[in-house]
Amino acid sequence: MNDKILSLLGLCRRAGKVTIGNDAVIDMVTKQKAKLVIMAKDLSENTAKKILINSHKNNVKALALNRTKDELSAALGKFCAVISINDGGFANKLETLISEENQQEACI
């Protein structure tokens, strides 16, 4: 895997710092344990709306990743479309990598 973001997400999963699935992520956001929420680009509109509302209400940053559910699932070893990162260090690094990627795409 040559993708830094997906590689780091796999490392987060192995470290036990990831929550996978819509309901579980909303629970972590509500309990203030989630530091960052990441959504696949092909996440359904209803699910994305629920995640964004709960994230905003609980002051947790939610980012759309420019990867599909299948790519995200392959990196994590389990089918998923939305995840929460429950560690500040991992969340900061992922946020930086995603922002850099988005800036590069905007320049193209």
Side-chain angles (χ1 to χ4, degrees), residues 29-78:
V29 167
T30 304
K31 291 179 179 177
Q32 299 286 320
K33 293 184 180 181
K35 308 298 182 204
L36 176 67
V37 175
I38 298 176
M39 303 175 289
K41 70 179 178 182
D42 55 350
L43 182 66
S44 76
E45 198 173 309
N46 273 349
T47 303
K49 187 176 178 181
K50 281 189 229 175
I51 295 294
L52 291 171
I53 288 170
N54 280 292
S55 295
H56 180 71
K57 192 181 340 178
N58 292 288
N59 296 318
V60 176
K61 191 167 213 167
L63 299 174
L65 187 60
N66 193 19
R67 307 292 186 285
T68 63
K69 294 177 203 175
D70 292 335
E71 291 169 317
L72 191 57
S73 299
L76 296 173
K78 184 175 181 181

Side-chain angles (χ1 to χ4, degrees), residues 78-93:
K78 184 175 181 181
F79 184 78
C80 62
V82 60
I83 63 172
S84 69
I85 307 300
N86 307 319
D87 177 81
F90 281 129
N92 290 338
K93 182 63 178 174

